[in-house]
Amino acid sequence: MTDPRPPRATPPPTGSAAPSGPAGPALHPAPGAASTGPGPAWSGVVPAAPPHSVPQPAGNPTGQFAPPRPPYAPAGGGPSADAPSRAGVPRPEQAPGATPAPHPAPHPAPAAGAPGQPPRPPVQARPQPVATHATVLCVSAPAMAASGPDGQLRGHGLHGFYRAGVRTLARMEIRLGGMEPMPLQGTLTSAAGARFVGAVRLPGDPDPDPTLTVERLRHANGVETVTVRNTGSRPARIPLEIALGTDLGLLAEIAAGQRSADLPGQVQSAGLRWAGPQHSATATARPSPHAVLAGAGVLRWDLEVQPGARWSVELSTALETAAPVGVRPPTGRGAGVPLPWSEPEVRCDDSRVALLVPRSLDALGSLLVADADRPTDLYPVSGAPWRFGLTAADALWAARLVLPLGTRLAAGTLRALARRQPTSGPQSGVIPGVLRHAGPELPPSCTATEATLLFVTVLAEAWRWGLPRQEVADLLPAAERALAALHANVSDDRPAAEDVGGPEGPVGFVTDLGRSAEERAARPVPARCEVQAQAHRAALHGAELLEAFGRPGAPEWRAWAAGLRDRFRDQFWIDDLSGGRPAAALVGPGRPLPAVASSFVHLLDLGLAGGGAQHEGLLDREQTRILAQRLVAPEFDCGWGLRTLSAKSPRFNPLGHRSGASRVHETVLAVTGLAEAGFEREARVLLDGLLDAAAHFEGRLPEMYAGEQRVTGCPPVPHPAACRPAALSSAAVVHLVTALAGVRPDVPAGRVTVRPASTAPLGELELGGLRVAGEPFSVRVSRIGVAVVEEASPELQLGAR
C-alpha cells in the first residue's frame, strides 16, 4: 500500500534540485544564473511532488533548481526531515464549500511523569494522498482536467481544471430538472480531451427509456461543451443548472489530501469570478445564462428543446496570476507549432500494437512545453498529474527514445538543459536534477548524475541519427563540461578516506557527480550499477564526439572506459548457486550490495556506436546470458513486465515504485537490450507481457503498475500514484517498436544498417515515416526477420545484418 503520510521533506544533495512543495510552483534559473545563484525564470512548473519522489521542504522559494543543501540532512536546524508532519488537514471527502475540520483524535493523555502539567495535544490523523488510477485525466501541459467517469467535477480529490499547478475550477456539476444525468460513458478521445455521455428520463414520460442525452466534450485547456439532445416525441421544458466553485488550491497541497473551502463567487458578465490572494479565476458561458446565483455558484438556463433538436453551451475557465516581475509563466506548445517528430505509420501482424504507437505519441505530445528562454525549443515534462516540470533525466530519456522519428525534440531538450548547466563553481557541468527515492535497499539518489551522463549520450546518438553538425558543435561545450564533471568525480588525485577522517567508500567507480572529492571521502555514497553503465556509455560517446570534432581527450576516455569494464567485472559480479548476478551497488571495496533489482537492465543499454554497431558493455557474454535468464524468472517477471525488486526480497512490495512495481520503460529497455544481445526468446517473454498490459490500458500505458503476479482472466493492477500520461513510458513504447525493426544509422559516415530481430516477434512489420538524416525512412520486416528498406535518403549507403 502507498504510505498515507504526506511526502517527506528530505533535502537534495549537492548539485541537485527538488520538486516544489506546497509553497507554490517551481521556478527555474535564467540562462547564466547557475554560476551566480538561482534566478526566477519560468521554464515549466512542478506543481506537486509525486509520492515516489523526495520533495524539497516547503520553505524552498526556488523550487526544482534549488541551491544545494548538505546531502541527506534535515533542513534549517529544525526537526528531522524524517519526522512526519502532524498538521491537521481537511478530509478529502468533505463537502465542497464546507469549513475544513480535522479528523477526530483520541482523548488526550497526560504526559508521563509530569503531574499537573497540561495534557499533550491530540495527534491529528494524517490525510490519505490523492489516488488517480480511476480518474479521467485530460492533459495539455501546463493545463489539465480531472474527474470521475461520470464527468462531474465534485471538488473531491484531484477533481477540477488546473493551469500551472493551480486549480482554476474545482466543481462543475450539471443537473437537469434537479437530477444528475445517469452516467453512461466517460472516456478519453485524446490525451487532451474526453467525452462523457449521460441520460435523463423526463418526469411523466410514458416510456421507461430516457429521452434526453447529455454529452460533455472536455478539453484540458479549460473549455467544456455541454449538449442536451431530445430524442423523445414531445418538447422538453426543463431547467439546466451548472453549479460551479473553486478553492484556487495548489496541486501540491491537493496531492497531500488537503482541501480548502470554496471561495465566494462574484457575478460577472456571462459567468462567475473568484479571487484569492495570488490568483483569480473566471468561468464564462456562451450563451449567457438566464440567471446567475452568485451565493450558490449556480448558472441556470430555462430550456425548451424540441423533439429531435439539441441545445449546447460552452463554458470556459481562465486563470489570472499576479506573477513577480521577471517571472515568465510556462506555456504549452502553441497551436501553430508543429510536433517535434514525424508521424509514423505502423502496420504489423500483432493487433496489440495497432493503437499503442499513435496513442503513446499523442500522450507524449500532451506533455510538451515551450522553453521560456527560447519558445521554439520544446521539451517534455515528466508526467501528469504530479510532475509538470523539467526533470532533466526524464526529458533526456524521452528525447533519446524517439530519435527514430527525428532529432528536433532532442535538440530542443539539449539546448534547454545546456542553458541551465552551471558553467563555473563546484557544480560546473552538472545538469541539475531532482532527488528521488531509490527503494528500500539504497538511500535516495539524485538524478543530476543520470542527467549529466545522459546529456552526452543523447547528443552523440542524435548526431548519429542526423542532427546537423553545426547544432552538435554548438552543444559540444556543454557535453565537454559534463565530461569534466565526470572526470572530477573519478580523478585519481581525490583524497583518501583516511586523510579526511571519514569512512572508506567505493574506489574507481562513479558515485555522485554533485559531490566534491572531500564530500565523497567524508560521507561515501554507494556506487550504483546503473550509474556505472551510464558513465561507461557516456565516456565512449564522449570520445566519439571529441574525436569527430577535433577536440582532445578521446583516447583517455576510451582507456578509462576499458578500465571501468575491468573493475566492474571484477568487483560488481556476485557468484551464487544460480550462476551469479550483478550487484545493485558497491558500498565499499569488496562490499557489493546483493539486492536483485530492475536497475540491472541498464547494463543491457549499450548505446549506438559508429557503423550502426553497439558499444561494448560492462558485462561479458556469459554474464549477459545469466542476466537474461534471471530477468525472465518468476522473481522478476510478474507476467506483465519486470518488477523493480525481486519478489524473493523480504522488502518486496508490488505497489512500491522501487520495491516491486513494474515500470514500463525499464521493461522496454530489457526487451530491446536482450533482443540486441541475441537473447530473443527471453525478450519475447517480456514483450508479450508488456503488450498484453498495454491492451488492458487501451494503448495508454501509465509510468508503472503493480508488480502483482499475473492471474488468468484478471487485468494488471493499476498503481494509485502513477503518472498518466508519462513521458518515459510513452516514448519507450515508440522505441520498443522501432528498435525491433533494427534501424541503426550512422549519418556522419553516410550509412544506415538494418538489423531486425531474427524471430520477428511482432510478425510482419512495416514502419513508415521514420527520419534518418532528416529525410523520410521506411522499412519492412518479413515474418522470417528479413528487412527491406523501402524509402531512404539517396545520400545514405544501406547495409544489413
Side-chain angles (χ1 to χ4, degrees):
M1 296 295 292
T2 304
D3 188 349
R5 294 175 295 179
R8 294 187 298 176
T10 303
T14 304
S16 73
S20 63
L27 302 178
H28 299 292
S35 59
T36 59
W42 284 93
S43 70
V45 61
V46 185
H52 48 271
S53 71
V54 182
Q56 183 79 0
N60 170 25
T62 55
Q64 189 170 1
F65 292 113
R69 293 185 185 272
Y72 313 124
S80 168
D82 288 336
S85 170
R86 300 290 185 179
V89 295
R91 300 176 184 174
E93 69 273 15
Q94 188 171 346
T99 302
H103 285 281
H107 293 291
Q117 292 188 1
R120 292 173 180 169
V123 176
Q124 304 287 354
R126 301 187 187 112
Q128 285 282 355
V130 172
T132 62
H133 59 282
T135 302
V136 179
L137 193 65
C138 309
V139 179
S140 180
M144 149 179 112
S147 76
D150 62 354
Q152 299 279 45
L153 305 182
R154 304 184 187 276
H156 299 167
L158 194 65
H159 283 203
F161 283 98
Y162 295 80
R163 181 168 289 276
V166 178
R167 181 153 60 183
T168 58
L169 197 65
R171 292 189 301 111
M172 187 167 66
E173 299 175 82
I174 293 177
R175 289 177 175 83
L176 280 165
M179 299 177 293
E180 290 194 16
M182 177 192 305
L184 301 177
Q185 185 184 66
T187 186
L188 291 176
T189 57
S190 68
R195 179 178 184 259
F196 305 91
V197 179
V200 175
R201 181 176 180 272
L202 291 175
D205 274 353
D207 298 325
D209 302 325
T211 57
L212 294 182
T213 58
V214 181
E215 179 190 62
R216 303 172 70 165
L217 297 179
R218 177 175 300 159
H219 195 279
N221 62 11
V223 176
E224 181 155 336
T225 301
V226 180
T227 300
V228 179
R229 184 176 58 186
N230 183 3
T231 59
S233 59
R234 57 177 183 162
R237 298 178 178 88
I238 190 169
L240 169 67
E241 294 180 336
I242 302 180
L244 307 173
T246 187
D247 56 356
L248 292 177
L250 299 179
L251 185 54
E253 298 170 357
I254 296 166
Q258 301 184 34
R259 171 71 162 100
S260 302
D262 278 359
L263 297 169
Q266 303 171 354
V267 177
Q268 72 159 22
S269 58
L272 291 166
R273 183 177 187 273
W274 302 268
Q278 296 179 328
H279 311 282
S280 62
T282 58
T284 305
R286 293 188 303 172
S288 300
H290 299 150
V292 179
L293 306 177
V298 172
L299 310 183
R300 178 185 172 107
W301 293 262
D302 295 316
L303 304 186
E304 182 173 341
V305 186
Q306 298 298 320
R310 63 181 63 196
W311 178 92
S312 296
V313 60
E314 181 184 272
L315 289 99
S316 302
T317 64
L319 178 71
E320 298 176 2
T321 302
V325 177
V327 174
R328 287 164 288 183
T331 60
R333 180 175 62 93
V337 179
L339 288 167
W341 53 70
S342 62
E343 291 290 342
E345 298 175 3
V346 182
R347 293 183 295 276
C348 73
D349 291 340
D350 196 321
S351 60
R352 296 171 296 179
V353 181
L355 292 176
L356 195 52
V357 172
R359 288 193 170 178
S360 296
L361 286 174
D362 176 46
L364 185 60
S366 73
L367 296 172
L368 294 178
V369 297
D371 187 25
D373 299 316
R374 185 173 174 180
T376 55
D377 285 342
L378 301 177
Y379 61 80
V381 299
S382 294
W386 311 122
R387 298 201 301 273
F388 261 24
L390 174 55
T391 303
D394 291 358
L396 286 167
W397 269 114
R400 181 190 180 205
L401 295 175
V402 297
L403 279 173
L405 305 184
T407 60
R408 286 182 293 163
L409 182 62
T413 302
L414 289 167
R415 284 193 290 261
L417 292 175
R419 287 190 283 271
R420 290 159 175 80
Q421 182 190 44
T423 58
S424 62
Q427 303 308 310
S428 177
V430 178
I431 304 292
V434 298
L435 186 71
R436 288 184 183 162
H437 291 302
E441 307 284 354
L442 290 166
S445 62
C446 180
T447 58
T449 299
E450 181 180 16
T452 304
L453 300 172
L454 197 54
F455 186 97
V456 181
T457 284
V458 174
L459 180 60
E461 292 190 345
W463 172 58
R464 295 285 182 198
W465 278 94
L467 185 64
R469 183 177 179 86
Q470 184 56 51
E471 294 187 44
V472 179
D474 293 341
L475 288 163
L476 193 56
E480 290 180 298
R481 289 192 293 269
L483 289 171
L486 172 59
H487 180 268
N489 184 269
V490 296
S491 60
D492 296 331
D493 58 352
R494 62 181 181 176
E498 57 270 17
D499 295 337
V500 295
E504 188 177 16
V507 176
F509 295 100
V510 184
T511 54
D512 186 342
L513 302 190
R515 299 175 189 260
S516 66
E518 292 78 8
E519 290 173 324
R520 295 195 304 273
R523 179 181 282 182
V525 294
R528 305 166 194 264
C529 79
E530 68 272 22
V531 171
Q532 312 317 306
Q534 293 157 3
H536 177 262
R537 188 180 60 218
L540 295 176
H541 277 144
E544 292 173 345
L545 288 170
L546 295 174
E547 185 175 69
F549 286 81
R551 307 290 182 94
E556 291 79 3
W557 279 116
R558 290 194 177 97
W560 179 82
L564 180 61
R565 280 197 300 275
D566 294 338
R567 291 191 296 274
F568 188 92
R569 293 173 183 179
D570 179 54
Q571 299 185 46
F572 261 82
W573 190 260
I574 301 174
D575 291 316
D576 58 21
L577 295 178
S578 64
R581 66 183 186 276
L586 199 67
V587 296
R591 296 167 56 201
L593 183 68
V596 181
S598 62
S599 56
F600 296 164
V601 302
H602 292 271
L603 298 171
L604 303 172
D605 182 17
L606 307 184
L608 182 61
Q614 294 265 302
H615 285 299
E616 183 178 357
L618 291 178
L619 301 180
D620 60 29
R621 178 68 181 177
E622 178 61 16
Q623 291 171 337
T624 304
R625 183 190 66 80
I626 295 172
L627 177 59
Q629 293 177 345
R630 189 130 202 179
L631 290 177
V632 296
E635 64 170 323
F636 250 141
D637 180 16
C638 70
W640 305 111
L642 284 182
R643 297 182 173 101
T644 50
L645 187 68
S646 166
K648 294 181 179 180
S649 170
R651 298 183 177 183
F652 170 73
N653 173 7
L655 288 175
H657 95 285
R658 280 296 175 195
S659 55
S662 181
R663 300 180 66 84
V664 170
H665 82 281
E666 289 184 338
T667 301
V668 168
L669 290 180
V671 171
T672 56
L674 290 171
E676 180 65 32
F679 300 101
E680 295 187 16
R681 184 192 67 81
E682 291 82 356
R684 179 66 179 265
V685 171
L686 295 175
L687 173 64
D688 283 340
L690 181 64
L691 292 179
D692 285 344
H696 283 289
F697 286 106
E698 298 179 335
R700 301 185 185 276
L701 280 165
E703 65 170 324
M704 59 183 169
Y705 38 85
E708 294 279 1
Q709 188 61 42
R710 183 171 182 172
V711 177
T712 302
C714 295
V717 177
H719 194 288
C723 283
R724 298 181 297 114
L728 258 69
S729 60
S730 300
V733 166
V734 178
H735 172 69
L736 175 69
V737 177
T738 56
L740 291 176
V743 181
R744 306 285 187 269
D746 186 0
V747 172
R751 181 179 177 84
V752 60
T753 302
V754 182
R755 299 172 179 170
S758 60
T759 55
L762 298 177
E764 185 172 358
L765 173 65
E766 295 182 39
L767 285 179
L770 306 184
R771 287 291 184 273
V772 179
E775 298 292 331
F777 188 91
S778 299
V779 63
R780 177 169 52 85
V781 180
S782 71
R783 295 182 180 91
I784 59 173
V786 176
V788 176
V789 176
E790 298 184 331
E791 184 180 21
S793 169
E795 305 297 324
L796 294 176
Q797 179 183 356
L798 303 180
R801 187 192 298 269

